[in-house]
Amino acid sequence: MGDIINKKSIRLLVTGGAGFIGSNFIRYWLKEYPDDKIVNLDILNYAGNLENLKDAENNPNYKFVKGDICDMGTVAEIMGEVDLIVHFAAESHVDRSIMDSGNFVRVNVEGTRVLLEAAKNAGGKRFHHISTDEVFGHLGPGDPAFNERAPLSPRSPYSASKAGAEHLVRAYFHTHKLPVTISNCSNNYGPYHFPEKLIPLFVTNLLEDKKVPVYGKGENVRDWIHVDDHNRGVDMIIKKGRIGETYCLGGGNEISNLALTRMILRLMDKDEAMIEYVADRPGHDLRYAIDFSKARHELGWEPEIDFEAGLKNTIEWYKKNKEWWQRIRSGAYQEYYNKQYGKQ
Ligand code: NAD
Ligand code: DAU
């Protein structure tokens, strides 16, 4: 991490810190590095929820700024106050990108460009970019897992916009010598996961005795990683990763959607009658798998949370935090910002 690793206290700009992974990252970082200071820049779209960070809001080392990563004025102002950018902010849901791709290109591509440009203008700030395994496209059943040498070959508007962002990050490294790193991670799960994605949607539906919508035949395969393993990997890349390099992070837990659904049903004492097979996602990527041997060899990172144990704990979290997801379902969570912060 060059010069900033030796500083007693690092100042971070976390973008998208009110979302699922970003809020878990902020909680993780404040616990691991209590002297560091974090600015969380988030526009609070439908997935941005400040109730994810209730436990951090009174921490003097944490500051929330409601704003758009596409707005150069806001971004440039914050950039002067920080040493390191960890860039999570994005439109993140594939199904939404199929219905309306415009905001995906604006936020994921242009927003990343604005951040890179501001980081460059502020003297070349250290920049870690959160990408996804989806930029590599998809795999057939017997194909070897993706690694850092896999070409970017996205197949959905979401993954195409994330690939565009990734190209820009590398372009700023080569052209402007911006000190960047990139991580490509597989499907995360864990607490505070917005209930539109498979695991939280199915768990919360079952808690309300509703059926779970499996796309197509449920044969698509995803590699699930606990969000805490992902965030620990990001930390290690920031601290030990080589500038200009990409690191693939995965859970080593490939499972078909149907097998995962059956596992959730078993852990929640429900039967197969709760499955509803629905129309498939257009262009549905068949399989993702990640070879994380580079992260293991260079950083000493590997996922630590056993999938079934992590899933069980996650289900327990949704059982104990009914109010959290019911406030999302009712829309009440969107009032929390005005109540706590007033209008900025
Ligand atoms: P999320 O949708 O839960 O959170 C995204 C956050 O970004 C929200 O808080 C939202 O308000 C914020 N945001 C959106 N547009 C913004 C803008 N214009 N300005 C400022 N903030 C804005 O997403 P997530 O699942 O937490 O994913 C975070 C990042 O990780 C994304 O970049 C995603 O592509 C990547 N990723 C996600 C997964 C996964 O399984 N969820 C896996 C690999 C990579
Ligand atoms: O691989 C990393 C990616 O994982 C991230 O980059 C994305 O931001 C994140 O949303 C996630 O993308 P997926 O499309 O894989 O996640 P999702 O939870 O939407 O879907 C997981 C699988 O489950 C996928 O094959 C589609 C299927 N599915 C999803 C939903 C929401 C269903 O069968 N039914 C559903 O209702």
Short mmCIF file of all heavy atoms in Angstrom, two decimals, residues 220-254:
data_model
loop_
_atom_site.label_atom_id
_atom_site.label_comp_id
_atom_site.label_asym_id
_atom_site.label_seq_id
_atom_site.Cartn_x
_atom_site.Cartn_y
_atom_site.Cartn_z
N ASN A 220 -28.71 -23.47 -13.08
CA ASN A 220 -27.57 -22.54 -13.12
C ASN A 220 -26.76 -22.65 -11.84
O ASN A 220 -27.31 -22.83 -10.77
CB ASN A 220 -28.08 -21.11 -13.31
CG ASN A 220 -28.97 -21.01 -14.53
OD1 ASN A 220 -30.08 -21.55 -14.52
ND2 ASN A 220 -28.51 -20.40 -15.57
N VAL A 221 -25.44 -22.51 -12.00
CA VAL A 221 -24.53 -22.75 -10.88
C VAL A 221 -23.86 -21.45 -10.46
O VAL A 221 -23.38 -20.69 -11.30
CB VAL A 221 -23.46 -23.79 -11.29
CG1 VAL A 221 -22.38 -23.91 -10.23
CG2 VAL A 221 -24.12 -25.14 -11.55
N ARG A 222 -23.84 -21.19 -9.16
CA ARG A 222 -23.14 -20.03 -8.61
C ARG A 222 -22.16 -20.52 -7.54
O ARG A 222 -22.32 -21.59 -6.97
CB ARG A 222 -24.13 -19.04 -7.97
CG ARG A 222 -25.13 -18.42 -8.97
CD ARG A 222 -24.41 -17.49 -9.94
NE ARG A 222 -25.28 -16.82 -10.91
CZ ARG A 222 -25.55 -17.29 -12.13
NH1 ARG A 222 -25.06 -18.47 -12.53
NH2 ARG A 222 -26.29 -16.60 -12.97
N ASP A 223 -21.12 -19.70 -7.28
CA ASP A 223 -20.11 -20.04 -6.27
C ASP A 223 -20.29 -19.04 -5.12
O ASP A 223 -19.99 -17.86 -5.28
CB ASP A 223 -18.72 -19.91 -6.90
CG ASP A 223 -17.62 -19.89 -5.85
OD1 ASP A 223 -17.84 -20.42 -4.74
OD2 ASP A 223 -16.54 -19.34 -6.14
N TRP A 224 -20.80 -19.50 -3.98
CA TRP A 224 -21.18 -18.59 -2.89
C TRP A 224 -20.06 -18.38 -1.90
O TRP A 224 -19.39 -19.33 -1.48
CB TRP A 224 -22.43 -19.13 -2.18
CG TRP A 224 -23.61 -19.14 -3.09
CD1 TRP A 224 -24.04 -20.16 -3.89
CD2 TRP A 224 -24.49 -18.04 -3.36
NE1 TRP A 224 -25.14 -19.78 -4.62
CE2 TRP A 224 -25.44 -18.49 -4.32
CE3 TRP A 224 -24.59 -16.73 -2.90
CZ2 TRP A 224 -26.45 -17.66 -4.81
CZ3 TRP A 224 -25.60 -15.92 -3.39
CH2 TRP A 224 -26.52 -16.38 -4.33
N ILE A 225 -19.89 -17.13 -1.51
CA ILE A 225 -18.86 -16.76 -0.52
C ILE A 225 -19.51 -15.88 0.55
O ILE A 225 -20.32 -14.99 0.22
CB ILE A 225 -17.67 -16.03 -1.21
CG1 ILE A 225 -16.60 -15.64 -0.19
CG2 ILE A 225 -18.13 -14.81 -1.97
CD1 ILE A 225 -15.33 -15.09 -0.83
N HIS A 226 -19.13 -16.11 1.80
CA HIS A 226 -19.67 -15.26 2.86
C HIS A 226 -19.07 -13.86 2.73
O HIS A 226 -17.87 -13.70 2.45
CB HIS A 226 -19.34 -15.83 4.25
CG HIS A 226 -20.14 -15.20 5.34
ND1 HIS A 226 -19.82 -13.97 5.88
CD2 HIS A 226 -21.29 -15.59 5.96
CE1 HIS A 226 -20.72 -13.64 6.80
NE2 HIS A 226 -21.61 -14.61 6.87
N VAL A 227 -19.90 -12.84 2.94
CA VAL A 227 -19.47 -11.45 2.76
C VAL A 227 -18.25 -11.11 3.63
O VAL A 227 -17.38 -10.31 3.23
CB VAL A 227 -20.66 -10.49 3.01
CG1 VAL A 227 -21.15 -10.54 4.45
CG2 VAL A 227 -20.35 -9.06 2.60
N ASP A 228 -18.12 -11.73 4.80
CA ASP A 228 -16.97 -11.44 5.67
C ASP A 228 -15.67 -11.99 5.07
O ASP A 228 -14.60 -11.39 5.22
CB ASP A 228 -17.16 -12.04 7.08
CG ASP A 228 -18.26 -11.34 7.85
OD1 ASP A 228 -18.67 -10.23 7.45
OD2 ASP A 228 -18.73 -11.92 8.86
N ASP A 229 -15.75 -13.14 4.40
CA ASP A 229 -14.56 -13.67 3.71
C ASP A 229 -14.16 -12.74 2.57
O ASP A 229 -12.98 -12.49 2.33
CB ASP A 229 -14.84 -15.09 3.19
CG ASP A 229 -14.62 -16.17 4.25
OD1 ASP A 229 -13.80 -15.95 5.15
OD2 ASP A 229 -15.27 -17.23 4.15
N HIS A 230 -15.18 -12.24 1.83
CA HIS A 230 -14.89 -11.30 0.74
C HIS A 230 -14.18 -10.06 1.28
O HIS A 230 -13.12 -9.65 0.78
CB HIS A 230 -16.21 -10.93 0.04
CG HIS A 230 -16.06 -9.94 -1.08
ND1 HIS A 230 -17.13 -9.34 -1.69
CD2 HIS A 230 -14.98 -9.40 -1.68
CE1 HIS A 230 -16.70 -8.51 -2.63
NE2 HIS A 230 -15.39 -8.51 -2.64
N ASN A 231 -14.75 -9.48 2.35
CA ASN A 231 -14.20 -8.22 2.85
C ASN A 231 -12.81 -8.39 3.45
O ASN A 231 -11.96 -7.51 3.34
CB ASN A 231 -15.18 -7.58 3.84
CG ASN A 231 -16.33 -6.90 3.11
OD1 ASN A 231 -16.17 -6.43 1.99
ND2 ASN A 231 -17.50 -6.86 3.72
N ARG A 232 -12.55 -9.55 4.05
CA ARG A 232 -11.20 -9.83 4.56
C ARG A 232 -10.23 -9.92 3.37
O ARG A 232 -9.09 -9.47 3.44
CB ARG A 232 -11.20 -11.12 5.37
CG ARG A 232 -9.97 -11.37 6.22
CD ARG A 232 -10.17 -12.56 7.16
NE ARG A 232 -10.90 -13.65 6.54
CZ ARG A 232 -10.36 -14.55 5.71
NH1 ARG A 232 -9.08 -14.52 5.45
NH2 ARG A 232 -11.10 -15.48 5.16
N GLY A 233 -10.70 -10.47 2.27
CA GLY A 233 -9.87 -10.54 1.06
C GLY A 233 -9.56 -9.15 0.52
O GLY A 233 -8.42 -8.86 0.13
N VAL A 234 -10.56 -8.27 0.53
CA VAL A 234 -10.34 -6.89 0.06
C VAL A 234 -9.29 -6.22 0.94
O VAL A 234 -8.37 -5.55 0.45
CB VAL A 234 -11.68 -6.10 0.06
CG1 VAL A 234 -11.45 -4.62 -0.20
CG2 VAL A 234 -12.64 -6.69 -0.98
N ASP A 235 -9.42 -6.41 2.24
CA ASP A 235 -8.44 -5.85 3.18
C ASP A 235 -7.03 -6.34 2.82
O ASP A 235 -6.08 -5.54 2.72
CB ASP A 235 -8.84 -6.31 4.61
CG ASP A 235 -7.89 -5.81 5.69
OD1 ASP A 235 -6.95 -5.07 5.36
OD2 ASP A 235 -8.09 -6.17 6.87
N MET A 236 -6.89 -7.63 2.57
CA MET A 236 -5.55 -8.17 2.30
C MET A 236 -4.99 -7.66 0.97
O MET A 236 -3.79 -7.45 0.84
CB MET A 236 -5.59 -9.70 2.34
CG MET A 236 -5.83 -10.19 3.77
SD MET A 236 -6.11 -11.95 3.90
CE MET A 236 -4.44 -12.51 4.12
N ILE A 237 -5.88 -7.45 0.01
CA ILE A 237 -5.41 -6.89 -1.27
C ILE A 237 -4.93 -5.45 -1.05
O ILE A 237 -3.88 -5.04 -1.55
CB ILE A 237 -6.53 -6.92 -2.34
CG1 ILE A 237 -6.91 -8.37 -2.66
CG2 ILE A 237 -6.10 -6.19 -3.61
CD1 ILE A 237 -8.20 -8.51 -3.47
N ILE A 238 -5.71 -4.69 -0.27
CA ILE A 238 -5.32 -3.30 0.00
C ILE A 238 -3.96 -3.28 0.70
O ILE A 238 -3.07 -2.48 0.36
CB ILE A 238 -6.40 -2.61 0.86
CG1 ILE A 238 -7.66 -2.37 0.00
CG2 ILE A 238 -5.89 -1.29 1.44
CD1 ILE A 238 -8.90 -1.98 0.80
N LYS A 239 -3.78 -4.16 1.66
CA LYS A 239 -2.55 -4.13 2.47
C LYS A 239 -1.35 -4.80 1.77
O LYS A 239 -0.22 -4.35 1.91
CB LYS A 239 -2.80 -4.83 3.81
CG LYS A 239 -3.82 -4.13 4.71
CD LYS A 239 -3.22 -2.91 5.40
CE LYS A 239 -4.25 -1.99 6.03
NZ LYS A 239 -4.98 -2.58 7.15
N LYS A 240 -1.62 -5.90 1.05
CA LYS A 240 -0.49 -6.68 0.53
C LYS A 240 -0.47 -6.84 -0.99
O LYS A 240 0.48 -7.40 -1.54
CB LYS A 240 -0.56 -8.10 1.11
CG LYS A 240 -0.43 -8.22 2.61
CD LYS A 240 -0.09 -9.69 2.90
CE LYS A 240 -0.65 -10.22 4.17
NZ LYS A 240 -0.51 -11.67 4.27
N GLY A 241 -1.55 -6.42 -1.65
CA GLY A 241 -1.64 -6.67 -3.09
C GLY A 241 -0.65 -5.81 -3.87
O GLY A 241 -0.25 -4.74 -3.42
N ARG A 242 -0.28 -6.31 -5.05
CA ARG A 242 0.63 -5.55 -5.90
C ARG A 242 -0.16 -4.55 -6.74
O ARG A 242 -1.21 -4.90 -7.29
CB ARG A 242 1.42 -6.49 -6.81
CG ARG A 242 2.49 -7.27 -6.04
CD ARG A 242 3.28 -8.16 -6.96
NE ARG A 242 2.47 -9.25 -7.49
CZ ARG A 242 2.47 -9.67 -8.76
NH1 ARG A 242 3.22 -9.07 -9.66
NH2 ARG A 242 1.72 -10.68 -9.15
N ILE A 243 0.37 -3.33 -6.81
CA ILE A 243 -0.32 -2.26 -7.56
C ILE A 243 -0.45 -2.67 -9.03
O ILE A 243 0.48 -3.20 -9.63
CB ILE A 243 0.48 -0.93 -7.43
CG1 ILE A 243 0.54 -0.48 -5.97
CG2 ILE A 243 -0.11 0.17 -8.33
CD1 ILE A 243 -0.80 -0.22 -5.33
N GLY A 244 -1.65 -2.40 -9.57
CA GLY A 244 -1.92 -2.72 -10.97
C GLY A 244 -2.45 -4.13 -11.16
O GLY A 244 -2.79 -4.51 -12.28
N GLU A 245 -2.54 -4.88 -10.08
CA GLU A 245 -2.92 -6.30 -10.20
C GLU A 245 -4.39 -6.53 -9.89
O GLU A 245 -5.04 -5.76 -9.16
CB GLU A 245 -2.10 -7.15 -9.24
CG GLU A 245 -0.63 -7.25 -9.61
CD GLU A 245 -0.38 -8.09 -10.85
OE1 GLU A 245 -0.99 -9.18 -10.98
OE2 GLU A 245 0.44 -7.66 -11.70
N THR A 246 -4.86 -7.66 -10.42
CA THR A 246 -6.23 -8.13 -10.19
C THR A 246 -6.17 -9.40 -9.36
O THR A 246 -5.26 -10.22 -9.55
CB THR A 246 -6.87 -8.46 -11.56
OG1 THR A 246 -6.97 -7.26 -12.29
CG2 THR A 246 -8.23 -9.09 -11.42
N TYR A 247 -7.11 -9.57 -8.43
CA TYR A 247 -7.18 -10.78 -7.61
C TYR A 247 -8.60 -11.34 -7.66
O TYR A 247 -9.56 -10.61 -7.40
CB TYR A 247 -6.79 -10.46 -6.15
CG TYR A 247 -5.34 -10.03 -6.03
CD1 TYR A 247 -4.99 -8.68 -6.19
CD2 TYR A 247 -4.34 -10.96 -5.81
CE1 TYR A 247 -3.67 -8.28 -6.12
CE2 TYR A 247 -3.00 -10.56 -5.74
CZ TYR A 247 -2.67 -9.22 -5.90
OH TYR A 247 -1.36 -8.83 -5.83
N CYS A 248 -8.70 -12.63 -7.99
CA CYS A 248 -10.00 -13.30 -7.98
C CYS A 248 -10.25 -13.88 -6.59
O CYS A 248 -9.38 -14.54 -6.01
CB CYS A 248 -10.01 -14.45 -8.98
SG CYS A 248 -10.19 -13.89 -10.68
N LEU A 249 -11.45 -13.63 -6.07
CA LEU A 249 -11.85 -14.16 -4.75
C LEU A 249 -13.10 -15.01 -4.93
O LEU A 249 -14.06 -14.57 -5.58
CB LEU A 249 -12.15 -13.01 -3.78
CG LEU A 249 -11.05 -11.97 -3.57
CD1 LEU A 249 -11.56 -10.82 -2.67
CD2 LEU A 249 -9.80 -12.59 -2.95
N GLY A 250 -13.09 -16.20 -4.38
CA GLY A 250 -14.27 -17.07 -4.49
C GLY A 250 -14.45 -17.89 -3.24
O GLY A 250 -13.56 -17.94 -2.37
N GLY A 251 -15.61 -18.54 -3.16
CA GLY A 251 -15.91 -19.28 -1.94
C GLY A 251 -15.58 -20.76 -2.02
O GLY A 251 -15.61 -21.47 -1.01
N GLY A 252 -15.32 -21.24 -3.27
CA GLY A 252 -15.10 -22.68 -3.42
C GLY A 252 -16.36 -23.48 -3.12
O GLY A 252 -16.30 -24.62 -2.69
N ASN A 253 -17.52 -22.84 -3.34
CA ASN A 253 -18.81 -23.49 -3.04
C ASN A 253 -19.72 -23.45 -4.24
O ASN A 253 -20.74 -22.75 -4.24
CB ASN A 253 -19.52 -22.76 -1.89
CG ASN A 253 -18.80 -22.91 -0.59
OD1 ASN A 253 -18.55 -24.03 -0.15
ND2 ASN A 253 -18.43 -21.79 0.01
N GLU A 254 -19.38 -24.19 -5.28
CA GLU A 254 -20.24 -24.20 -6.46
C GLU A 254 -21.47 -25.04 -6.17
O GLU A 254 -21.35 -26.18 -5.72
CB GLU A 254 -19.51 -24.87 -7.62
CG GLU A 254 -18.68 -23.96 -8.45
CD GLU A 254 -18.19 -24.69 -9.69
OE1 GLU A 254 -19.01 -24.99 -10.57
OE2 GLU A 254 -16.99 -24.99 -9.75
#
